[in-house]
Amino acid sequence: MNPTGYAQLDELLARLAGIASLDESALEAEHTAILGRKAGALTEASKQIPTLPPEERRGFGAAVNQVKAAFEQAFTARRAELAEESRRRALAGVDLTMPARHRWIGSAHPVTTVIDEITEIFRGLGFVVAVGPEVETEWYNFHALNFPANHPAMDMHDTLYVDATPVPGDRGGRQLLRTHTSPVQIRELLTHEPPVRAIIPGMSYRNDPFDPSHAPAFHQIEGLAVDEGISFVDLKATLVHFARRFFGETTRTRFRPSYFPFTEPSAEMDVECQLCHGSGCPACKGTGWMEILGCGMVHPAVLANCDVDAERYTGFAFGMGPARITMLRYGVTDIRYMYEGDMRFLGSLR
Ligand code: DAH
């Protein structure tokens, strides 16, 4: 029997009780010191076994294994304890009875929903959706639409010019952010032989202050129908159909004479106030009516500018502001709400 071997085991056993109070790094250091495969104390002790006289090997080997098992158990237990402690620390201050957060579910912006509904109604009448660029030249935005030269709308105060250098050519002029979607009428007629039926949603820009009734960037929806034999009756029937489908089958409408350079005759269409249904309230300033769009028969000069034979073809056009229509639907009185992206407001419209 080699007494140094057993004495070593006794020394090691004295360290067993200490394991239960070691922290994480000390525990791993102790594990390496005792059980480490290369230089751990128990590994060293078991290396002595083959050097012992044969009759002592079994007894010492068993003793080494017992001590090893005791240490392994102590290390496993302490590791589990430390894991539990850190789990508790992570949960400290967490109130498990607190209600869960609502899951965030996005949805389309109300103006987007209204644009989709409106285009869908016109698609049902055979109109196709068309779009055009937001940066236009003076020719597309004004001249081709029969605006007289030096019309006040072309003034710097109303129009946002992006490049004062005129684009050369017949259809050029200064570059600007389109002030309406009407220039897409021109683009459609220049690229499509009549019959043309187009519904044109898009952004428009004006040098306006952001106030309760103006937004410098706002949506419009333009409509255009050009064919043989189109009359004001078609205009009225189409727009009244639209108003009934959009606002409800019993909705009353009226047309008032108006003026736009690109239509003749021109009109504005009102629908009965969506809040008071005609009896008069602050939202409709007591009139019982709300204006929803401008419209008219396409001016022959506009057709001529697009190389469309105005003797053969006639047409109607209209333009509306879907943000304003969204406001009428929900009784909102400040257009800024439609463009500020305030989720508390947008969520309240559903
Ligand atoms: N472009 C006009 C505007 O921005 C709206 C408009 C009126 C469009 C009459 C039309 C129309 O197509 O026929 O105020």
Side-chain angles (χ1 to χ4, degrees):
M1 168 66 216
N2 180 343
T4 53
Y6 284 104
Q8 267 179 1
L9 291 186
D10 281 344
E11 269 170 38
L12 283 179
L13 279 173
R15 290 157 76 168
L16 187 63
I19 288 175
S21 55
L22 294 178
D23 69 12
E24 227 152 293
S25 58
L27 183 69
E28 293 318 312
E30 185 71 344
H31 185 268
T32 310
I34 292 173
L35 293 172
R37 227 172 281 216
K38 271 195 192 151
L42 270 170
T43 313
E44 293 303 318
S46 59
K47 278 182 191 159
Q48 295 178 19
I49 299 170
T51 71
L52 296 176
E55 68 278 11
E56 288 179 11
R57 285 182 200 164
R58 184 186 286 273
F60 187 68
V64 168
N65 280 339
Q66 264 180 12
V67 174
K68 197 173 173 185
F71 271 104
E72 273 167 356
Q73 203 190 0
F75 280 117
T76 307
R78 182 59 184 154
R79 280 190 182 131
E81 225 171 67
L82 286 172
E84 174 64 15
E85 267 173 34
S86 83
R87 196 183 70 88
R88 280 222 203 92
R89 259 197 311 276
L91 281 178
V94 175
D95 179 358
L96 294 175
T97 67
M98 199 165 87
R101 278 197 190 191
H102 278 287
R103 190 174 279 228
W104 183 265
I105 298 175
S107 65
H109 191 284
V111 175
T112 303
T113 305
V114 163
I115 291 171
D116 289 347
E117 282 179 38
I118 293 172
T119 51
E120 219 32 58
I121 292 168
F122 284 99
R123 272 159 48 83
L125 295 172
F127 285 67
V128 297
V129 175
V131 291
E134 293 176 9
V135 174
E136 278 289 13
T137 63
E138 281 176 291
W139 187 78
Y140 284 98
N141 195 79
F142 294 121
H143 303 320
L145 287 161
N146 199 37
F147 279 72
N150 303 317
H151 190 279
M154 296 168 63
D155 203 53
M156 299 292 264
H157 297 289
D158 296 314
T159 302
L160 294 158
Y161 289 89
V162 296
D163 193 340
T165 323
V167 173
D170 290 348
R171 293 169 183 171
R174 285 177 291 173
Q175 290 186 71
L176 45 79
L177 292 178
R178 67 182 180 194
T179 59
H180 51 179
T181 44
S182 303
V184 189
Q185 289 188 33
I186 306 301
R187 293 186 176 273
E188 281 299 291
L189 290 175
L190 282 170
T191 52
H192 298 81
E193 282 281 312
V196 166
R197 282 177 180 74
I199 188 79
I200 303 153
M203 292 303 287
S204 302
Y205 304 87
R206 286 185 201 167
N207 195 5
D208 279 335
F210 201 23
D211 69 22
S213 46
H214 298 88
F218 57 100
H219 296 82
Q220 281 199 335
I221 301 179
E222 192 83 13
L224 174 70
V226 175
D227 200 349
E228 287 181 10
I230 290 198
S231 75
F232 204 87
V233 173
D234 300 297
L235 177 156
K236 278 188 90 169
T238 303
L239 295 177
V240 169
H241 168 84
F242 155 69
R244 290 185 179 152
R245 288 290 306 278
F246 186 82
F247 291 105
E249 290 302 327
T250 59
T251 301
R252 288 173 303 136
T253 51
R254 73 174 183 184
F255 289 79
R256 285 177 290 105
S258 185
Y259 172 79
F260 301 102
F262 37 90
T263 46
E264 178 60 31
S266 304
E268 264 152 338
M269 183 169 123
D270 297 342
V271 294
E272 69 184 56
C273 175
Q274 295 302 294
L275 298 186
C276 66
H277 293 284
S279 56
C281 69
C284 59
K285 298 196 181 77
T287 64
W289 296 99
M290 288 176 147
E291 183 198 318
I292 62 160
L293 56 80
C295 58
M297 300 305 291
V298 179
H299 198 293
V302 172
L303 295 176
N305 289 336
C306 302
D307 305 320
V308 172
D309 180 356
E311 293 297 324
R312 181 173 171 197
Y313 294 109
T314 51
F316 65 83
F318 55 90
M320 57 184 129
R324 262 184 49 79
I325 290 176
T326 309
M327 291 164 67
L328 299 184
R329 171 181 270 187
Y330 293 106
V332 177
T333 51
D334 190 326
I335 198 169
R336 290 174 295 189
Y337 282 120
M338 313 313 296
Y339 290 114
E340 279 171 345
D342 185 330
M343 297 306 298
R344 293 165 302 178
F345 167 75
L346 295 172
S348 75
L349 288 194
R350 252 168 259 155

